[in-house]
Each structure stands twice: as structure tokens, then as C-alpha cells.
Amino acid sequence: MRATPESRRGSRAANEIAHGRVLAASESEATWGWATPAGQSRARRRADLISRAARLQPGRTALEIGCGTGLFTEQFAATGARIVAVDISPDLLAKADDRQLPADRVRFEQRRAEDLERSDPSFQEWAVDGFDAIIGSSVLHHLDIPAAIETCKTLLARGGRIAFAEPNLLNPQVWMERTFRGWFPYVSPDESAIVRWELGRQLERAGFSSVVITPFDWLHPATPVPLIGAVGGGGKVFERVPGLREFAGSVLIEATFAA
């Protein structure tokens, strides 16, 4: 019997919850590569790029999807914006709660991103007319992307922004992880990666404007401390070289929904 879209979504959700349980039982940030000095440098830059693309600042509200342990939530909240942060994994959210972020500006909720609706009671106080931004780090590639795009359209205020940083499928390591995922236990069964031209077309067809998807990130988490400055600086040069930049580790996705 052929699987229905509903059964595929249910299977994906179950897989992600189970994968989150495994990640939460380990040193999650270390597994993801954020715990090393180079990884911390990457995380700070990534959070800054997303925050600027989403125009996070006091007085603005943002929905963070796939917040995981709250590592990036903490940095997004430092902008002064109000953040509703959701994740499908209760185990990862328990770690996020342990951060004890300011309750007047950060809320953590267990939700499946593709099922979110504007009428959700948890959104009404801060975003009754929609969110000013929807943001995330390394989350879209875990989702049913067309459904996630529709969710963003539903939840954004008029003129709202999306900003995501995602793995770039053209990067050799990312391609290896998705092609031979059995060798990499930190890769979940259903996750993919982003081809920027394809995603750009999807966003434009969905009604987003000012779509910009930029390759970035050449600093590997395993980079020795003495080399972080040189590798990071060299990477920023590579990000401006046509052709070569397409193999960067990540892509920054930003767009506006005006409808």
C-alpha cells in the first residue's frame, strides 16, 4: 500500500522526535559542532546574520521554529525582540527551558512547525496580527519544505520577514552526510539539505519577494584555535568568489511576504 501524505508526515514527525531524544541524551551542542571554539564562533556569526536579516530588535516579535536546546534562541533574544520558540522534541525543549531565559520575552512551546496556525492561543498575546519574522537555524531541511513555506505565509504579518541558515547540499561534507547518512548518526532519517536556486523558486512561487539566498560559512568546527581568525577571514573572501562560494557549508535565506 502506498503511503499517504498524512502517513508520511506522521512518520517524519515520529522520526524527528526519536532523533531529538537521542540528541538530548548526548552533549547536544557538541554533537552539532557548536561546542568547540570554532563552533562557537560560527554560532555567533550565524545568529547575527539571521538576526540582521530578520531585523530583530525591541518591539518586534519572531517565531523561531526548530529551536532545539535554545542555543540560538538565547542569542536572538539578546536583540530585545520577543521570541516564541517551538520544537517538536520535548527532550530538546527540556534543555532549552534550563536556560531560564526571560519569560517576558521568550516562550518555549512543543509544536510541529508544519501544523502551526495563527489562531494558536500561545500566539495571541504577542502576535495577534502575525509575527514580524519567522527564523531558524538548521531547521528547514528537517521539515516538509512546501508545508513549512505555507506555514510561514499563514503566520507572518504583512511585510513580515523570514530568515534561516541551512546546510548547503553543494558542500562536500553536507553531500556526504546526506548520501551516506548511515555513517553519520547525528543525521536524522528524513533530513535533506538546501539547493539555493530550487528553494528560491519555491519561495517566489509562494508569493515571497526580495528573496536572497547567500552561501556562507567556511569555518569548520574542528578548526584549531590559532587558525580560527585566518580560516574565518579567508572564508569571508571565498564567499565573494563566484563559483567557489557555491560550496560553502551553509546558506542564509531571507525574504519578505507582502501579501
Side-chain angles (χ1 to χ4, degrees):
M1 181 181 296
R2 179 175 296 178
T4 65
E6 291 77 13
S7 67
R8 286 194 294 271
R9 286 195 292 269
S11 175
R12 179 190 289 268
N15 287 339
E16 290 297 334
I17 291 171
H19 190 63
R21 188 175 304 118
V22 171
L23 290 170
S26 66
E27 293 295 329
S28 307
E29 277 78 32
T31 301
W32 288 319
W34 302 123
T36 65
Q40 292 171 24
S41 177
R42 290 179 68 229
R44 287 191 297 270
R45 184 184 183 212
R46 175 178 286 228
D48 184 58
L49 288 171
I50 294 171
S51 296
R52 284 192 278 124
R55 300 172 186 167
L56 299 186
Q57 61 187 28
R60 286 177 66 84
T61 59
L63 172 67
E64 181 191 2
I65 59 177
C67 66
T69 64
L71 173 68
F72 286 93
T73 314
E74 187 166 8
Q75 298 181 70
F76 297 146
T79 66
R82 281 182 162 183
I83 313 290
V84 178
V86 303
D87 199 281
I88 198 171
S89 168
D91 303 282
L92 293 175
L93 284 171
K95 288 190 168 185
D97 282 331
D98 288 342
R99 294 181 184 273
Q100 299 184 324
L101 301 181
D104 62 331
R105 288 192 292 106
V106 179
R107 290 180 179 174
F108 289 110
E109 303 277 352
Q110 185 187 354
R111 297 285 191 277
R112 182 175 181 269
E114 298 96 324
D115 295 336
L116 295 173
E117 298 179 353
R118 185 176 290 194
S119 60
D120 191 313
S122 66
F123 300 160
Q124 293 304 298
E125 182 181 353
W126 290 358
V128 65
D129 295 320
F131 288 94
D132 297 311
I134 299 179
I135 57 179
S137 173
S138 297
V139 59
L140 286 181
H141 71 285
H142 285 278
L143 306 179
D144 177 336
I145 290 180
I149 290 173
E150 291 303 311
T151 295
C152 289
K153 290 168 57 177
T154 299
L155 296 176
L156 281 170
R158 183 176 180 83
R161 301 273 297 169
I162 62 169
F164 296 95
E166 297 290 327
N168 176 20
L169 187 59
L170 296 188
N171 175 266
Q173 178 176 331
V174 174
W175 181 86
M176 284 284 292
E177 290 170 345
R178 274 57 179 180
T179 305
F180 305 101
R181 66 184 65 220
W183 299 355
F184 304 95
Y186 53 83
V187 178
S188 64
D190 301 302
E191 69 178 276
S192 57
I194 300 301
V195 176
R196 70 185 185 105
W197 304 284
E198 178 183 341
L199 180 60
R201 288 191 292 268
Q202 286 180 285
L203 288 169
E204 288 172 351
R205 286 197 299 267
F208 284 85
S209 61
S210 304
V211 178
V212 179
I213 304 180
T214 309
F216 77 101
D217 194 6
W218 289 84
L219 182 63
H220 194 278
T223 303
V225 172
L227 298 180
I228 290 175
V231 174
K236 291 177 182 179
V237 173
F238 295 162
E239 289 165 14
R240 296 193 293 269
V241 178
L244 180 60
R245 67 177 187 160
E246 303 301 338
F247 300 99
S250 307
V251 292
L252 177 69
I253 301 152
E254 48 187 310
T256 301
F257 188 61

Coordinates of all heavy atoms in Angstrom, one line a residue, residues 2 12 34 40 50 53 61 74 88 102 130 135 145 149-150 160 173 183 189-190 199 218-219 240 248:
R2 N 0.6 2.2 -0.9 CA 1.3 3.4 -1.0 C 1.0 4.3 0.2 O -0.1 4.5 0.6 CB 1.0 4.1 -2.3 CG 1.8 5.4 -2.5 CD 1.5 6.0 -3.8 NE 2.0 5.2 -4.9 CZ 1.8 5.5 -6.2 NH1 1.2 6.6 -6.5 NH2 2.3 4.6 -7.1
R12 N 7.6 11.2 9.5 CA 8.7 12.1 9.7 C 8.7 12.7 11.1 O 9.7 12.9 11.7 CB 8.5 13.3 8.7 CG 9.6 14.4 8.8 CD 9.2 15.6 7.9 NE 9.3 15.3 6.5 CZ 10.4 15.5 5.7 NH1 11.5 16.0 6.3 NH2 10.4 15.2 4.5
W34 N 28.7 22.9 17.7 CA 28.7 24.2 18.2 C 29.5 24.4 19.5 O 29.7 25.6 20.0 CB 27.2 24.7 18.5 CG 26.3 24.6 17.4 CD1 25.1 23.9 17.3 CD2 26.4 25.3 16.1 NE1 24.5 24.1 16.1 CE2 25.3 24.9 15.4 CE3 27.3 26.1 15.6 CZ2 25.1 25.4 14.1 CZ3 27.1 26.6 14.3 CH2 26.0 26.2 13.6
Q40 N 31.7 27.8 18.3 CA 31.1 28.9 19.0 C 31.2 30.2 18.1 O 30.2 31.0 18.1 CB 31.8 29.1 20.3 CG 31.5 28.0 21.3 CD 32.3 28.1 22.6 OE1 32.8 29.2 22.9 NE2 32.5 27.0 23.3
I50 N 21.3 35.9 10.9 CA 19.8 35.7 11.0 C 19.1 36.9 11.6 O 18.1 37.3 11.1 CB 19.5 34.4 11.7 CG1 20.1 33.2 11.0 CG2 18.0 34.2 11.9 CD1 20.0 31.8 11.7
A53 N 19.1 39.8 9.2 CA 18.2 39.5 8.0 C 16.7 39.6 8.5 O 15.9 40.0 7.7 CB 18.5 38.1 7.4
T61 N 8.3 41.0 17.0 CA 8.1 39.6 17.5 C 8.5 38.6 16.4 O 8.4 38.9 15.2 CB 6.6 39.4 17.7 OG1 5.8 39.7 16.5 CG2 6.1 40.3 18.9
E74 N 18.7 32.0 22.7 CA 19.3 32.9 23.6 C 20.0 34.1 22.9 O 19.9 35.2 23.4 CB 20.3 32.1 24.4 CG 21.0 32.9 25.6 CD 21.7 32.0 26.6 OE1 21.9 30.8 26.3 OE2 22.1 32.5 27.6
I88 N 9.7 20.3 17.9 CA 8.8 19.0 18.0 C 9.3 18.1 19.1 O 8.6 17.3 19.6 CB 8.9 18.3 16.6 CG1 7.7 17.3 16.6 CG2 10.2 17.6 16.4 CD1 7.5 16.7 15.2
P102 N 14.5 35.1 29.8 CA 13.4 36.0 30.4 C 12.0 35.6 29.9 O 11.8 35.7 28.7 CB 13.9 37.4 29.9 CG 15.3 37.2 29.5 CD 15.5 35.8 29.1
G130 N 0.0 38.4 13.4 CA 1.1 37.7 12.8 C 2.4 38.2 13.3 O 2.6 39.2 13.9
I135 N 12.1 32.7 12.0 CA 13.5 32.5 11.9 C 13.8 31.1 12.3 O 13.0 30.3 12.9 CB 14.2 33.5 12.9 CG1 13.7 33.3 14.3 CG2 14.1 34.9 12.4 CD1 14.4 34.2 15.3
I145 N 9.3 21.0 3.3 CA 9.6 22.4 3.0 C 8.4 23.1 2.4 O 8.0 24.2 2.8 CB 10.8 22.5 2.1 CG1 12.1 22.2 3.0 CG2 11.0 23.9 1.6 CD1 13.4 22.3 2.3
I149 N 6.7 26.4 4.1 CA 6.6 27.7 3.5 C 5.2 28.2 3.6 O 4.9 29.4 3.9 CB 7.0 27.6 2.0 CG1 8.5 27.3 1.8 CG2 6.5 28.8 1.2 CD1 8.9 27.0 0.4
E150 N 4.2 27.3 3.5 CA 2.8 27.7 3.7 C 2.5 28.1 5.1 O 1.8 29.1 5.4 CB 1.8 26.6 3.3 CG 1.8 26.3 1.8 CD 1.4 27.5 1.0 OE1 0.4 28.1 1.3 OE2 2.1 27.8 0.0
G160 N 6.1 40.8 6.7 CA 7.0 40.1 7.6 C 8.1 39.4 6.9 O 8.1 39.2 5.7
Q173 N 31.0 18.0 2.5 CA 30.7 17.3 3.7 C 29.2 17.1 3.8 O 28.7 16.0 4.2 CB 31.2 18.0 4.9 CG 30.9 17.3 6.2 CD 31.5 17.9 7.5 OE1 32.5 18.5 7.4 NE2 30.8 17.8 8.6
W183 N 26.5 6.5 7.9 CA 27.8 6.7 8.5 C 27.8 7.8 9.5 O 28.8 8.0 10.3 CB 28.9 7.0 7.4 CG 29.0 5.9 6.4 CD1 28.5 4.7 6.4 CD2 29.8 6.0 5.2 NE1 28.9 4.0 5.2 CE2 29.7 4.8 4.5 CE3 30.6 7.0 4.7 CZ2 30.4 4.6 3.3 CZ3 31.3 6.8 3.5 CH2 31.2 5.6 2.8
P189 N 16.8 10.5 9.9 CA 16.4 9.7 8.7 C 15.8 10.5 7.5 O 16.0 10.1 6.4 CB 15.4 8.7 9.2 CG 15.7 8.7 10.7 CD 16.2 10.0 11.1
D190 N 15.1 11.6 7.8 CA 14.4 12.3 6.8 C 15.0 13.7 6.4 O 14.5 14.3 5.5 CB 13.0 12.6 7.2 CG 12.3 11.3 7.5 OD1 12.2 10.5 6.6 OD2 11.8 11.1 8.7
L199 N 15.2 26.3 -3.9 CA 14.4 26.9 -2.8 C 14.0 28.3 -3.2 O 12.8 28.8 -2.9 CB 15.2 26.9 -1.5 CG 14.5 27.6 -0.3 CD1 13.2 26.8 0.0 CD2 15.4 27.6 0.9
W218 N 32.7 29.0 5.9 CA 33.8 28.1 5.6 C 34.6 27.6 6.8 O 35.6 26.9 6.7 CB 34.8 28.7 4.6 CG 34.2 28.9 3.2 CD1 33.4 29.9 2.8 CD2 34.4 28.0 2.1 NE1 33.0 29.7 1.5 CE2 33.6 28.6 1.0 CE3 35.1 26.8 1.9 CZ2 33.6 28.0 -0.2 CZ3 35.0 26.3 0.6 CH2 34.3 26.8 -0.4
L219 N 34.2 28.0 8.0 CA 34.9 27.7 9.2 C 34.4 26.4 9.7 O 33.2 26.3 10.2 CB 34.7 28.8 10.2 CG 35.4 28.7 11.5 CD1 36.9 28.7 11.3 CD2 35.0 29.8 12.5
R240 N 32.8 35.6 -1.5 CA 32.6 36.6 -2.5 C 33.1 36.1 -3.9 O 33.0 36.9 -4.9 CB 33.3 37.9 -2.1 CG 32.7 38.5 -0.9 CD 33.1 39.9 -0.7 NE 34.6 40.0 -0.4 CZ 35.1 40.0 0.8 NH1 34.3 39.9 1.9 NH2 36.4 40.1 1.0
A248 N 30.2 26.6 -0.1 CA 30.2 27.0 1.3 C 29.4 26.0 2.1 O 28.5 25.3 1.6 CB 29.8 28.4 1.5

